[in-house]
């Protein structure tokens, strides 16, 4: 019985830690299991919440947003390319999880994932959709950054 109790406490502690990470990143304790698997992945830490994005757009800030779903196989392959590339180019690429925040599909006219949108002055000024070669992302980021 003591061993079973210890296992139960340990399991509850792990769940609680994941819930705290989910709260910190997503503003809620309960996330989809596919999202939960990403909570410790360093590529998925720069999350933007819907309210924060709306506020930044209202203020007219420049923001690059990567709309993704952890269930999207194209996103799974694209994230390890675009997140480090954006960092290399000095771009603060925010990640918007459309599995957790489904309103992103309609609010930002997302037709599929992955999609990267560049906003400036409260409006969309650039968009790149789909799984593409690294060089295509590099040239797009470079062109968008140069246009800023």
């Amino acid at each position: 019985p003591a061993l079973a109790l210890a296992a139960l406490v340990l399991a509850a502690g792990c769940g609680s830690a994941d819930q705290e990470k989910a709260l910190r990143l997503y503003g809620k304790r309960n996330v989809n299991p596919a999202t939960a698997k990403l909570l410790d992945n360093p590529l998925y830490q720069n999350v933007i919440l819907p309210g924060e994005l709306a506020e930044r757009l209202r203020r007219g800030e420049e923001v690059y947003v990567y709309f993704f779903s952890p269930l999207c196989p194209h996103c799974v392959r694209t994230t390890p390319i675009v997140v480090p590339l954006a960092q290399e180019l000095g771009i603060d690429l925010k990640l918007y999880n459309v599995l957790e925040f489904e309103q992103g599909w309609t609010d930002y006219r997302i037709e599929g994932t992955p999609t990267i949108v560049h906003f400036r002055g409260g409006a969309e000024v650039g968009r790149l959709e789909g799984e593409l070669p690294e060089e295509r992302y590099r040239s797009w980021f470079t062109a968008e950054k140069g246009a800023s």
Side-chain angles (χ1 to χ4, degrees):
L3 188 55
L5 180 60
L8 182 63
V9 168
L10 198 59
C14 292
S16 178
D18 283 348
Q19 286 182 340
E20 291 305 314
K21 290 174 194 166
L23 183 61
R24 180 177 51 80
L25 287 174
Y26 288 98
K28 54 187 180 177
R29 291 183 187 278
N30 296 314
V31 293
N32 184 285
T35 297
K37 291 179 183 176
L38 303 177
L39 294 175
D40 289 323
N41 187 321
L43 296 174
Y44 293 90
Q45 300 302 303
N46 201 21
V47 172
I48 193 163
L49 301 179
E52 180 188 354
L53 178 55
E55 178 60 22
R56 290 184 69 173
L57 295 178
R58 190 191 64 72
R59 291 193 308 251
E61 294 180 20
E62 181 173 39
V63 61
Y64 291 84
V65 183
Y66 173 55
F67 292 89
F68 78 98
S69 168
L71 297 177
C72 163
H74 302 287
C75 299
V76 170
R77 291 187 296 267
T78 298
T79 302
I81 296 170
V82 298
V83 170
L85 180 60
Q87 290 171 340
E88 173 191 326
L89 296 173
I91 293 171
D92 183 18
L93 182 63
K94 297 296 187 184
L95 281 68
Y96 189 113
N97 185 331
V98 294
L99 180 64
E100 294 301 328
F101 304 108
E102 293 183 0
Q103 66 267 37
W105 290 104
T106 53
D107 289 353
Y108 302 102
R109 299 180 335 273
I110 304 302
E111 295 180 10
T113 55
T115 296
I116 303 173
V117 180
H118 180 198
F119 298 97
R120 187 181 327 109
E124 178 179 328
V125 294
R127 177 179 291 238
L128 192 60
E129 298 174 317
E131 179 183 358
L132 303 165
E134 179 178 352
E135 190 47 49
R136 180 68 181 100
Y137 293 113
R138 181 179 296 279
S139 64
W140 185 82
F141 278 131
T142 301
E144 290 295 313
K145 194 172 175 187
S148 296

